[in-house]
Amino acid sequence: MTISFLRLCFFISLLSLLATCARHSLTETPPPSTAAIPPSTIEAQPVSGMVDSKRLIQANDEPGNWMSHGRTYSEERFSPLSQINEGNVAKLGLAWYYDLKTERGVEATSLVVDGVMYTTSAWSIVHAIDARSGKRLWTFDPKVAGEKAKHACCDVVNRGLAAWGNQMFFGALDGRLFALDAATGKVNWEVATFDPALPYTITGAPRIVKGKVMIGNGGAEFGVRGYISAYNVDDGSLVWRFYTVPGDPDLGFENDAMKMAAPTWKGQWWKLGGGGGTVWDSMAYDPELDLLYFGVGNGTPWNQEIRSPGGGDNLFLSSIVAVRPDTGEYVWHYQTTPGETWDYTAAQHIILAELKLDGVERKVLMQAPKNGFFYVLDRETGQLLSAENYIDITWATHVDMKTGRPVEVPEARYKDAPFLVYPSYLGGHNWHPMSFNPKTGLVYIPVLDFPAMYGQPEEFIYNPGVGNVGTDGIVGGLPDDQAERDAIGALIKGRLLAWDPVKQQEAWRVEHSGSWNGGTLTTAGNLVFQGTADGKLVAYRADNGEQLWDFATQTGVVAPPVSYEIDGEQYVSVNVGWGGAFALVFGEFVQAESLPNISRVLTFKIEGKIKLPEVAWRPTVVFNPPELLADKPTLKMGLASYQDVCMGCHGLNAVSGLLIPDLRGSAYLWNEQDWNDVVLGGKLKDKGMASFAGHVSEQQSLAIRSYIIQQAQRGLALQEAAATASEVAP
Ligand code: CA
């Protein structure tokens, strides 16, 4: 199979456009709030112990609990439990399952505190569950407005909660930080962490250090100024806020760190959405050094030529930053990708560990950010100790240990010509947590492996509130020829990679059938657990990668498993339910086994005997398009506008990942007025399809409709051809 390079360029540059359509389709969808879930039942609950500093710092003394996002402040995601181990994991079976009753991506790490599981589902809905039986204790739905989905680059997901005292804390998609009574789910306080009209979102889990809830936000694809905030656990009052990028220098600086950062920027970045640099996921804490670490995301726009013309490092984009948790005072930073221009966030999982390097025991911080390098830093000073690429990359050759900076391939900055960059804007590793097993000394990384083409756009106009990535999508999209499309799909890979952080080299790997597989858990039972995009939870031997057990989850898994123990019995639990950025955009390449989205908590124990109900259906597209009447210029405009504002949710070439119904099957295609009522009039805003009036003109709206009719005609023709072929097949 040969794919013309140009076509590959077109395809991959199209991939590099994140867009901003709302997350529900124009056709029938369930409402975002889960009407099916009854309101909280307030009954006597098992009294759980108070989570405090001491318990969190000494979390390894309580291997049966999973009290914070990464289990410990070091975020290793290592369970010291070993009742389930390499010798008996083959007998693992389902102990219980719990329906989350949403139909979008499930990315949460469940917490387990003294017998109660606390977890979140899509649309920031919280569930408290009896961790032994799977019985619901209470639910809390913050009722996020459906149209807020417009500002979520990567699905309406939530990655979980934090526990402190007798309260549970989480951030909702619309920016409200909640403190709930842990026993009842009643709201103790809530506070807006940003203006919900701005294109910020919260998808990450809070962390709590010394009575302060730390929470960041997302939105750098759209145009925001990133920051992390600390709130008092008792009343939600703001204690401190640390901006990650400077604002307009004429207005002064919030602190010395911003003063230091400002000269690394050029132009007028604050007028293009605020510079980006969102703190959307990772944090870790070292109580001995009293340092809070967090990872900072990409710039707005991605393209540095537009964001900061003439260059500069653009601090603190793509950096790991250490601050004092009491004050937010800057201590050190390490920038992984100076002057980032590829959406190379350093918001990926941070793990703290003790490693013996050159015979010396070191307190290190480890990260495998999007850019493809695995970093080991001295976490006291931020000094780079080592960095090697954990996947094949094309944007840089290596990291110079003298300067601590990557040595770039100059053409990769795509100033003069488009450039095929490995890894893509989704990174070599995204939000899916990795894990570190101190017994094997290995880090288990859920790796993504595929490229993206980047190019200069013909023009860039900042469009507030929608995608502003500033890289060229060119025209064309996927090739029409299906065999060529399939060949492109074969480039999209994913694997479980066991990495030795001391030797900075691969220990073993397991190649998966596709990309966007789940986060990992490793245990003292010499095990690694990972869910996969093709609908399995798998256990591997931690030391050599041998597969020991798997279970059909009926839906793609992206969330990381956890393990806990009650009354001497060990459990492994994982949230399942396909979704996230890849699931929405890469509809053409979503594996059939990922679907449908069945959002559940699945919990296993040795000799568990529960069976999941059969799934008798798969989502499909019924093509019934009207006649295509548009001329070529209209179709060209429709494609361009579709790429700009629709593709991020409705999928590449209008092929949906089927988490939301496919536009090519929409009945709204039949009438121009009906179409505009949705796209411009916001008729389906409560279902997640906000109005795009002000972002696209009426002419563009109708051109998008024509483009989708064209793609529906193509889909129909392919379907009919396939039916004919199967009839004549012997
Ligand atoms: Ca990003």
Side-chain angles (χ1 to χ4, degrees), residues 92-107:
L92 205 59
L94 194 60
W96 55 262
Y97 67 92
Y98 176 95
D99 285 313
L100 292 164
K101 297 182 175 156
T102 47
E103 297 178 324
R104 301 287 292 273
V106 184
E107 297 188 352

Side-chain angles (χ1 to χ4, degrees), residues 244-246 261-267 269-270 274-277 299-300 307-309 311-317:
T244 58
V245 297
T264 69
W265 290 73
K266 293 178 178 164
W269 65 93
W270 63 90
T300 307
R307 184 180 70 239
S308 179
D313 285 354
N314 297 173
L315 293 174
F316 294 99
L317 296 183

Side-chain angles (χ1 to χ4, degrees), residues 154-293:
C154 307
D155 205 352
V156 293
V157 294
N158 185 281
R159 296 189 204 91
L161 304 110
W164 187 271
N166 54 359
Q167 301 191 102
M168 300 302 300
F169 302 82
F170 79 104
L173 190 73
D174 58 14
R176 288 173 294 161
L177 178 68
F178 285 89
L180 305 180
D181 184 308
T184 64
K186 279 187 177 164
V187 177
N188 287 338
W189 55 258
E190 65 175 272
V191 59
T193 67
F194 55 73
D195 177 350
L198 296 175
Y200 289 100
T201 49
I202 294 179
T203 56
R207 313 296 203 281
I208 302 183
V209 175
K210 298 200 279 185
K212 294 165 198 71
V213 196
M214 316 293 179
I215 188 77
N217 47 51
E221 269 57 61
F222 301 86
V224 296
R225 185 184 176 203
Y227 57 84
I228 175 174
S229 314
Y231 293 88
N232 186 310
V233 288
D234 294 325
D235 58 9
S237 57
L238 181 67
V239 182
W240 55 260
R241 176 164 291 171
F242 183 92
Y243 284 97
T244 58
V245 297
D248 178 354
D250 287 347
L251 302 178
F253 302 109
E254 290 86 356
N255 52 42
D256 287 347
M258 288 299 98
K259 204 170 176 178
M260 170 174 79
T264 69
W265 290 73
K266 293 178 178 164
Q268 296 187 307
W269 65 93
W270 63 90
K271 291 185 175 170
L272 299 175
T278 50
V279 183
W280 57 265
D281 198 61
S282 65
M283 293 181 228
Y285 174 59
D286 182 329
E288 239 175 81
L289 298 172
D290 195 32
L291 289 176
L292 173 74
Y293 309 96

Side-chain angles (χ1 to χ4, degrees), residues 544-604:
N544 67 13
E546 181 193 349
Q547 181 174 325
L548 299 174
W549 169 84
D550 71 347
F551 180 89
T553 54
Q554 303 181 334
T555 181
V557 187
V558 291
V562 299
S563 189
Y564 60 95
E565 184 182 78
I566 300 176
D567 294 340
E569 180 139 55
Q570 185 185 354
Y571 298 82
V572 170
S573 182
V574 66
N575 288 4
V576 304
W578 177 244
F582 181 94
L584 293 172
V585 173
F586 288 67
E588 179 80 22
F589 307 117
V590 167
Q591 302 171 78
E593 295 81 4
S594 300
L595 296 168
N597 173 300
I598 301 174
S599 296
R600 280 186 179 134
V601 183
L602 303 183
T603 299
F604 301 86

